[in-house]
Structure formats: C-alpha cells, structure tokens
Amino acid sequence: MEEIKIKDDFIKLGQALKLAGLVDSGVEAKISILDGQVTVNGETEYQRGKKLRVGDCFTFGGREVKIV
C-alpha cells in the first residue's frame, strides 16, 4: 500500500489522485471518479470533492493509497 502525506485536515479525492500520481489531470480524475473506478474505504465513490482525512484509503487502477 502506498501512502501520501497531507499537511491540512483533509484533501479532496481528485487532488489525492493527482498527488499520488494515479492521474495526470483534474479532468482525468473527474472522469475516473464519475465512471465508478475509484473506491474510498472500500466503497465506490462518485464525488470528486469527497474529503479524505488521515487514515482514509482509496483505490484506483489496482493501487491502494492511504492518507497519512
């Protein structure tokens, strides 16, 4: 499992996908999320603006990332 470290209280899902290097742009993140390709804490997430906090995990393209 990969980890990304955040400085603030939360990071939005679209931003987290970019920070983890799983997508190249916000548009790509949006399309991937709306297509149901991203899960957060084991459940499919359709909101690009979903707030992720320390301890949350998301999965995309077979890669799992934890927020630390």
Side-chain angles (χ1 to χ4, degrees):
M1 177 185 303
E2 300 172 47
E3 296 181 344
I4 57 172
K5 186 172 186 141
I6 60 172
K7 299 175 187 174
D8 299 316
D9 292 338
F10 66 87
I11 186 170
K12 293 182 180 177
L13 180 56
Q15 295 170 327
L17 285 166
K18 287 193 296 184
L19 184 61
L22 301 179
V23 296
D24 294 325
S25 68
V27 172
E28 188 178 345
K30 178 181 178 180
I31 292 169
S32 300
I33 294 166
L34 291 177
D35 283 348
Q37 298 177 31
V38 181
T39 62
V40 175
N41 298 326
E43 297 190 17
T44 302
E45 182 58 58
Y46 297 97
Q47 296 179 24
R48 181 175 64 172
K50 169 80 174 170
K51 293 179 181 177
L52 304 178
R53 294 175 173 23
V54 171
D56 286 335
C57 297
F58 64 93
T59 305
F60 174 69
R63 292 171 62 186
E64 189 172 4
V65 181
K66 183 174 184 175
I67 308 296
V68 296

